[in-house]
Amino acid sequence: MSIQDMDLTRLVREVCEKLQSQLPADEEDKAKDKGIFKDPDEAVEAAWKAQKELFEMTLSDRKRITDTIKSHLLLYVEELSRMVVEETGMGRVADKIVKNRLAIEKTPSTEDLRAGVFTGDDGLTLLELSPFGVIGAITPSTNPTETVICNTIGMVAAGNSVVFSPHPGAYKATNRAVELINEAIRMAGGPKNLVVTIDEPTMAKSEQIMKHKKISILCATGGPGLVKAVLSSGKKAIGAGAGNPPVVVDQTANIEKAAKDIVDGSSFDNNLPCIAEKEGIIVDAVFDYLVFNMKKHGAYEIKDRNTINKLTNLLVPEKWKPNKDFIGKDAKVILKAIGIEVDDSIRLIIMEVEKDHPFVVEELMMPVLPLVRVKDAWEAIDLAVQVEHGFRHTAICHSKDIDVLTEMGHRIQTTIFVKNGPSYAGIGVGGEGYTTFTIAGPTGEGLTSASTFTRKRRCALIGGFNIR
Ligand code: NAD
């Protein structure tokens, strides 16, 4: 090889290396255009600038932005739902379509921001709702895109920008939702990087966001570890944590309807929603008739003790730790693993167990509903309070006895209490009221909405504008 040939080879190699080193940078720049950042600090800085721009825009600008997000994302509901099931291996596409649609259609925007007023001899005082600034929002794997959609609408309507920290097991779908949200914001003439997210998320990146000084407030949707982490961050935090919703049925209930409602609610998205019925507490007088009716609506009953033990060992192999391989899986898949073949009409597995069985005590997030037999409604309420663990999340009761309904609502103190309907009626599916996918029981904000993400401010004019 001549000297010139060697120089040429080196030159070609150098050019190739340079091109290659530029490729990822280009890709990274392209991702940033979609609101997706590898570096949390860069993401926060970008969102911080965007919030300053939004702050100078009007309320109708915010409304236009959130309306455009809604109409744009409606076109991608199926794509997002499929992506989530593919990436996480959990849940049902048809149910995720319902959940994503719900987040888009029933999350309130600026109409949720209601100012207050005091007038009197001393003048007029306004109560105004102002944004916090940049919100760090940590999202779960169980409702990843729904949470991003719902948080975005509320947080942006309130005048904030958002940095999402997606669950590492659901980040591709989560970030696709953020990309689509950015397309919509651009279409509506909103600020670039108003909503950003983290690529290749890790726990360390999530902590970096939590600690960043330009993040004014944290909003955490996930399990107990996450809620504890944000509450220890030293920042104001909205914590939406785990639930273990009991459903009580007494002898006065419409049993045929209760049976269908419970199967529908408990099997919805394979029991992933934090609000879904996770254990049934049934009065003895109607227990067998309820089971008979549940079987008409897609429940498969396991009666044999040995089979129940086999299922218990499979789903909770270590005491109090659900087997991740079966979280959010179809009932058919779970049954197959213990040698039982069923068709697609089976959506839920039920069995009678004792009140301290792991299926009752633990939040499984599987289409498995343990049923406990009790003598009367008062014993049912006692047990419901006990197994809800004080999470203050969700409870359901089927009864026509006003005293039972009142006593359960009073004693259990959950954020959502559904009477005579499926659990999801509590977030606006076949029940009145707006929806949310961030139900803040531990920190008390309840069903979060735009006004949750605001600072409450007072503006007092002394001695004037009182026109009575
Ligand atoms: P998860 O707690 O495993 O993860 C949620 C998010 O928190 C992820 O982004 C994860 O990366 C992050 N995270 C977890 N621990 C952390 C820590 N110590 N520090 C920093 N970041 C941390 O939750 P999941 O399995 O995806 O979701 C299911 C859980 O969330 C269930 O317990 C369910 O009940 C609950 N949930 C509650 C609500 C609600 O509104 N209350 C809504 C959805 C899910």
Side-chain angles (χ1 to χ4, degrees), residues 56-71:
E56 298 308 327
M57 296 175 90
T58 62
L59 265 179
S60 20
D61 289 333
R62 292 191 212 163
K63 174 82 174 136
R64 191 183 61 252
I65 291 170
T66 54
D67 281 353
T68 313
I69 291 172
K70 289 180 178 207
S71 56

Side-chain angles (χ1 to χ4, degrees), residues 138-141 167-168 203 206 210 221-223 226 240-242 274 363 393 439:
I138 303 126
T139 56
S141 57
H167 192 289
M203 207 71 104
S206 180
M210 285 189 204
T221 311
L226 171 65
C274 49
E363 182 198 32
H393 203 296
I439 300 152

Side-chain angles (χ1 to χ4, degrees), residues 451-462:
S451 57
T452 312
F453 308 113
T454 58
R455 296 168 52 233
K456 277 70 183 172
R457 299 173 60 219
R458 188 179 268 209
C459 182
L461 178 84
I462 316 306

Side-chain angles (χ1 to χ4, degrees), residues 70 73-86 90-106 142-147 149 268-270 272-273 347 424 427 429 435 437:
K70 289 180 178 207
L73 265 83
L74 265 183
L75 306 173
Y76 294 90
V77 161
E78 191 168 336
E79 178 196 316
L80 290 173
S81 305
R82 284 192 188 287
M83 266 188 96
V84 174
V85 174
E86 253 166 51
M90 303 190 297
R92 290 171 169 265
V93 173
D95 294 346
K96 295 224 183 268
I97 289 175
V98 173
K99 293 201 303 181
N100 278 301
R101 240 176 214 290
L102 175 70
I104 294 168
E105 288 172 349
K106 288 192 95 171
T142 47
N143 311 318
T145 50
E146 302 86 336
T147 308
I149 294 166
F268 187 60
D269 206 20
N270 285 343
L272 288 177
R347 290 180 59 100
Y424 47 65
I427 55 164
V429 184
T435 203
F437 282 84

